[in-house]
Amino acid sequence: MKKLAQIASAVQVSSTMAIDVLAKQMMADGVDVAGFAAGEPDFNTPDHIKAAAEQAIADNVTRYTPASGTLALKQAVCRRMREDCGLDYKPSQVVVTSGAKHCVYIALRALVDPGDEVVLPAPFWVSYLELIKMAGGRPVVVTAQESARFKITAEQLAAAITPKTKALILNNPGNPTGMVYTKEELDAIARVCVEKDIYVISDEIYCGLLYDGVKCVSFAALGEDVKERTILINGVSKSYAMTGWRIGYLLADERIAKVMGDYLSHSTGSPSSISQAASVAALTGPQDCVEEMRRAFEERRNYIVERVNAMDGVSCLKPEGAFYIMMNIEKQLGRTLHGETIRSGDDFCSALLRHGLVAAVPCSGFGAPNFVRWSYAASLENIKKGMDRLEEFLKG
């Protein structure tokens, strides 16, 4: 038989999958595993959003929509951007896709030719690296150190740009770090992007989950010359607990948006009509549900950060957004814990799962091999149980 496509064959399975598969098997076998791997809120979708979906079904809103989304949802997105970020977009600049991950892929397909370079700050969300390669691009990883709060500088970005650079992927607030760039930091990065004439795929899916009074500045709000180069990505999954509804959206220059809409028309077609109707309700309805979840996440963040930093041999920064912490395990490397030598985050998480009954995510696939990601999108009771088990595990 002939070979399969090189690009498809080169896609790597997530390095976190082995832990995930083992954790799920243990749970299926009745083992009480405390899980911290989920990148989704543990809350239910708010009732008024579910009611809108039910009404859409009753009204037979069950047919194809335009490939790039319904006008009603595009208008709702524009309204939310105006109210939350002070940004003015037209519905023709909005593209709705099957989740924010799909937004990133479609943006890369619209921008990247084979061999083009895309700058990717590390630590990065695990899918970014593979999505760049799936689009035929070459990822150029720029590592942000913990001492810099996991944020790259304008100087680092400028040094990574070559004549082949087409775009920068910027995730703010970040997964897995939870860190948020300040306006001053973003301004400096934006100046480089304008000077070097590169696009920015700004993934702002966690912008509704910020703590300690921190405000999220949208990259597209930094000036018209920045806005025209920015593909702004968001969605309803995180802020509205709608991960399974699979609705993401992006906003871009009208020319770019048309290209992405055309691409969708020949690939996936439109997202679910019912999910789109529910998303209109999410974006235009009462926003107190978002604040309620945000406050709960902030309480959980405060607890988990305090517990981790009180333990010997591990530490973490206090994140300003999203619902993750990055636990530094460098002092654990070389130790023998429960009969196993710890050489990496993968070893640590494997041993922690089997001997401590806690499922956390090694950050090797995020470009940070000496760290472990914990999601605090879990009940406070589960977090307390997990921290108790971690503390006992670290005793060896």
Side-chain angles (χ1 to χ4, degrees):
M1 295 176 66
K2 290 184 179 295
K3 292 182 179 179
L4 298 177
Q6 290 184 0
I7 289 179
S9 299
V11 174
Q12 297 295 310
V13 174
S14 169
S15 62
T16 65
M17 286 299 292
I19 298 294
D20 186 58
V21 169
L22 180 56
K24 288 178 178 176
Q25 183 58 56
M26 290 171 68
M27 291 177 187
D29 292 340
V31 179
D32 177 25
V33 174
F36 292 85
E40 61 179 343
D42 58 316
F43 298 97
N44 293 323
T45 301
D47 288 342
H48 71 282
I49 299 173
K50 293 187 285 188
E54 292 170 359
Q55 189 62 52
I57 295 171
D59 292 341
N60 294 308
V61 183
T62 55
R63 293 177 172 81
Y64 293 131
T65 77
S68 61
T70 64
L71 177 60
L73 181 49
K74 291 182 179 185
Q75 290 172 331
V77 168
C78 291
R79 172 181 164 180
R80 182 55 44 213
M81 287 297 106
R82 188 163 50 251
E83 293 183 3
D84 290 352
C85 305
L87 287 166
D88 286 319
Y89 283 96
K90 298 179 291 186
S92 57
Q93 294 178 274
V94 180
V95 177
V96 181
T97 70
S98 300
K101 181 187 293 191
H102 196 203
C103 287
V104 179
Y105 178 67
I106 295 301
L108 288 165
R109 294 302 309 185
L111 300 179
V112 175
D113 284 317
D116 283 347
E117 295 175 351
V118 179
V119 178
L120 180 61
F124 46 76
W125 178 46
V126 65
S127 289
Y128 290 145
L129 191 75
E130 299 305 323
L131 289 169
I132 293 169
K133 293 189 288 186
M134 287 165 64
R138 190 175 81 83
V140 177
V141 175
V142 177
T143 300
Q145 302 297 330
E146 185 180 31
S147 58
R149 298 191 65 80
F150 298 119
K151 295 184 283 187
I152 68 165
T153 64
E155 292 74 21
Q156 283 180 292
L157 173 61
I161 292 174
T162 76
K164 292 183 178 181
T165 305
K166 183 65 71 73
L168 160 71
I169 293 182
L170 191 67
N171 183 203
N172 184 45
N175 173 10
T177 68
M179 295 305 159
V180 180
Y181 284 83
T182 66
K183 183 179 185 301
E184 292 71 25
E185 291 165 339
L186 292 175
D187 277 332
I189 289 171
R191 284 193 293 271
V192 173
C193 295
V194 172
E195 179 186 343
K196 300 294 186 179
D197 191 24
I198 65 171
Y199 292 104
V200 178
I201 299 172
S202 185
D203 185 348
E204 301 174 11
I205 190 69
Y206 293 100
C207 70
L209 299 175
L210 294 164
Y211 315 114
D212 301 327
V214 171
K215 301 297 181 184
C216 187
V217 178
S218 176
F219 198 81
L222 299 176
E224 284 302 315
D225 52 351
V226 179
K227 184 181 177 184
E228 69 182 9
R229 289 173 170 80
T230 301
I231 293 87
L232 194 163
I233 292 173
N234 211 315
V236 297
S237 60
K238 310 300 183 181
S239 294
Y240 301 97
M242 295 177 68
T243 52
W245 298 78
R246 307 313 303 139
I247 294 292
Y249 51 82
L250 53 83
L251 303 99
D253 179 85
E254 202 161 356
R255 174 182 60 94
I256 302 172
K258 182 181 184 305
V259 169
M260 290 188 279
D262 291 343
Y263 192 97
L264 288 172
S265 72
H266 291 291
S267 53
T268 58
S270 63
S272 161
S273 59
I274 299 160
S275 292
Q276 290 188 70
S279 298
V280 172
L283 295 171
T284 61
Q287 301 297 298
D288 54 329
C289 57
V290 179
E291 175 60 14
E292 182 181 341
M293 286 187 276
R294 190 204 66 78
R295 286 198 303 265
F297 286 135
E298 187 167 24
E299 180 185 8
R300 297 170 185 183
R301 177 206 62 162
N302 293 343
Y303 179 83
I304 196 170
V305 168
E306 182 179 349
R307 284 294 306 272
V308 166
N309 285 325
M311 298 181 201
D312 290 334
V314 293
S315 63
C316 69
L317 298 179
K318 192 174 189 178
E320 300 159 321
F323 39 64
Y324 311 103
I325 64 161
M326 289 269 286
M327 187 175 76
N328 188 322
I329 62 156
E330 289 178 355
K331 292 182 179 179
Q332 301 300 318
L333 301 182
R335 284 192 69 194
T336 298
L337 292 173
H338 304 274
E340 300 193 32
T341 302
I342 307 300
R343 299 182 181 86
S344 67
D346 294 75
D347 290 343
F348 184 91
C349 287
S350 177
L352 178 61
L353 175 58
R354 286 183 286 108
H355 301 287
L357 301 183
V358 176
V361 177
C363 288
S364 53
F366 297 83
N370 295 338
F371 289 84
V372 171
R373 190 192 80 171
W374 296 74
S375 167
Y376 49 90
S379 69
L380 200 53
E381 179 184 7
N382 188 73
I383 293 172
K384 290 177 179 177
K385 180 198 297 184
M387 291 298 99
D388 289 345
R389 290 179 178 181
L390 171 64
E391 191 168 23
E392 189 64 28
F393 172 79
L394 290 173
K395 295 176 182 177

